[in-house]
């Protein structure tokens, strides 16, 4: 069946209910995106298609999560190419609402607050970013709820033993802080959805895929590879049960003149608090997340790698 493009919440509800009923679907997956899709998003979509009977992808450039109007304006909008990419992955429905559809009364007065977890790392240099991102994710999770538009007669046959179909939403590991915050929001506010993390996709040279990479010159892109090299070094040290020695990693990144390091650290994957000294000077054991952010030319890049030893 050809992919369907809808732009209102009412159309999304109807189309999702029709598809679930038609496919006798037991599960629905939601892939929230801001468009400008690349292979990383394609992997999210493919994973959702493998795991669900009906898959909805949303494309919405959310003004609430941009601190800077210039950044919002220059965010790439490539709807036709995005829909084609999603169709290739087997996505059923694309939800591409307008700003008025999502925020009919203008900017919402009541928002989700990310709290202390949203103020560190990325939050420190992008104040309010995670409140804006979580607010729209909360709305998108509501819009994408399966069966929300099912007729009271219940034409739909549920696979969940009589209840509504199961519901999963897909987020990239690349945005580790966003992922940790979405998990917290869903747990703290009892959203009936399973959050599925999908590993970061990298180009052959190691650079994590990002919609912003297109703004890097060739020279800047080459310089940016120091981020993934730094993470790989820490990963190798963890695998070898060696001390991670974050200071030496920071020095390695700082030696690249085109790269302005914002932070590098090894943190607890759930709380994002830096791990105790024990990972620094003595062999690393346990679970961790190495996180890095840097400005390269016009672009702020983030990357991370889960560590387990
Ligand atoms: O990761 C993104 O693309 C965005 O932050 C999201 C989750 C779609 C919310 O706007």
């Amino acid at each position: 069946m050809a992919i369907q493009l809808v732009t209102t919440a009412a159309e999304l509800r109807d189309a999702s209910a029709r598809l679930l009923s038609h496919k006798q679907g037991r599960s629905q997956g939601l892939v929230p995106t801001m468009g400008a899709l690349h292979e990383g998003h394609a992997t999210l979509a493919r994973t959702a298609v493998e795991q669900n009977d009906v898959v909805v992808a949303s494309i919405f450039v959310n003004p609430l999560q941009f601190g800077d109007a210039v950044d919002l304006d220059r965010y790439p909008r490539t709807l036709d190419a995005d829909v084609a990419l999603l169709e290739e992955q087997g996505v059923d429905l694309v939800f591409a609402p307008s700003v008025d559809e999502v925020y009919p009364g203008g900017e919402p007065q009541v928002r989700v607050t990310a709290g202390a977890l949203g103020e560190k790392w990325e939050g420190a240099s992008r104040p309010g970013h995670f409140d804006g991102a979580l607010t729209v994710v909360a709305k998108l999770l509501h819009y994408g709820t399966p069966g929300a538009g099912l007729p009271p007669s219940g034409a739909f046959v549920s696979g969940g033993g009589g209840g509504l179909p199961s519901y999963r939403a897909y987020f990239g590991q690349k945005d580790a802080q966003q992922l940790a915050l979405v998990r917290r929001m869903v747990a703290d506010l009892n959203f009936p959805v399973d959050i599925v993390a999908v590993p970061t996709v990298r180009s052959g040279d190691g650079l994590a895929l990002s919609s912003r990479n297109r703004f890097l010159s060739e020279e800047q892109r080459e310089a940016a590879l120091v981020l993934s090299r730094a993470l790989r070094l820490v990963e190798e040290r963890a695998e070898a049960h060696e001390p991670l020695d974050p200071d030496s990693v920071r020095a390695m990144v700082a030696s690249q003149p085109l790269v302005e390091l914002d932070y590098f650290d090894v943190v607890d994957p759930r709380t994002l608090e830096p791990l105790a000294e024990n990972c620094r000077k003595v062999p690393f054991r346990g679970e961790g997340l190495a996180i890095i952010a840097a400005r390269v030319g016009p672009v702020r890049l983030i990357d991370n790698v889960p560590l387990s030893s």
Side-chain angles (χ1 to χ4, degrees):
M1 204 187 274
I3 196 164
Q4 295 175 58
L5 173 64
V6 296
T7 55
T8 68
E11 286 169 345
L12 173 61
R13 276 199 306 275
D14 289 352
S16 142
R18 268 199 307 275
L19 276 166
L20 282 165
S21 180
H22 175 74
K23 294 186 170 191
Q24 304 217 332
R26 294 157 178 252
S27 54
Q28 183 158 299
L30 174 72
V31 183
T33 81
M34 296 206 301
L37 304 183
H38 49 64
E39 184 51 34
H41 299 103
T43 306
L44 288 179
R46 274 199 305 278
T47 309
V49 168
E50 277 160 26
Q51 298 180 354
N52 298 279
D53 298 322
V54 171
V55 173
V56 178
S58 62
I59 298 178
F60 179 63
V61 183
N62 172 35
L64 285 195
Q65 67 190 82
F66 288 81
D68 178 348
V70 178
D71 207 20
L72 173 63
D73 280 350
R74 75 167 191 173
Y75 197 87
R77 272 105 170 149
T78 56
L79 184 64
D80 291 347
D82 293 345
V83 173
L85 177 140
L86 293 167
E87 181 158 33
E88 272 168 38
Q89 315 316 313
V91 168
D92 300 285
L93 262 172
V94 176
F95 176 49
S98 66
V99 173
D100 282 349
E101 175 70 17
V102 176
Y103 303 119
E107 290 207 350
Q109 273 193 40
V110 176
R111 302 175 188 213
V112 178
T113 304
L117 185 52
E119 283 164 17
K120 56 184 78 164
W121 309 121
E122 284 311 285
S125 59
R126 303 174 73 186
H129 166 72
F130 286 117
D131 292 1
L134 287 186
T135 300
V136 83
V137 169
K139 293 188 70 130
L140 293 170
L141 289 173
H142 290 317
Y143 294 137
T145 301
L150 291 178
S153 63
F156 164 78
V157 180
S158 162
L164 287 173
S166 48
Y167 184 25
R168 303 183 186 92
Y170 294 78
F171 292 85
Q173 172 64 42
K174 159 122 188 327
D175 293 309
Q177 191 168 4
Q178 172 173 274
L179 175 63
L181 280 161
V182 169
R183 285 193 191 288
R184 275 313 296 246
M185 176 179 77
V186 161
D188 289 353
L189 303 182
N190 300 86
F191 280 64
V193 59
D194 287 329
I195 301 301
V196 182
V198 178
T200 303
V201 179
R202 299 178 181 282
S203 53
D205 55 13
L207 189 67
L209 298 193
S210 160
S211 309
R212 293 166 198 257
N213 290 353
R214 68 188 73 192
F215 299 121
L216 294 170
S217 69
E218 227 170 273
E219 196 189 13
Q220 289 162 346
R221 196 196 141 89
E222 184 61 34
L225 296 180
V226 74
L227 272 71
S228 51
R229 277 206 300 273
L231 293 176
R232 183 74 203 122
L233 174 65
V234 184
E235 206 177 13
E236 283 166 5
R237 286 178 180 166
E239 281 163 8
H241 306 294
E242 288 172 8
L244 302 184
D245 190 6
D247 284 341
S248 69
V249 179
R250 288 187 197 104
M252 168 182 170
V253 179
S255 71
Q256 172 51 257
L258 296 182
V259 176
E260 196 186 315
L261 180 65
D262 181 355
Y263 59 76
F264 167 80
D265 219 322
V266 182
V267 299
D268 178 294
R270 279 160 292 274
T271 63
L272 303 189
E273 287 298 328
L275 288 187
E277 284 306 305
N278 77 3
C279 83
R280 288 153 205 272
K281 300 265 187 284
V282 298
F284 174 75
R285 299 260 170 217
E287 301 276 311
L289 182 71
I291 55 174
I292 191 164
R295 181 159 279 281
V296 186
V299 182
R300 182 185 168 77
L301 295 174
I302 59 171
D303 199 352
N304 69 85
V305 68
L307 303 174
S308 159
S309 180

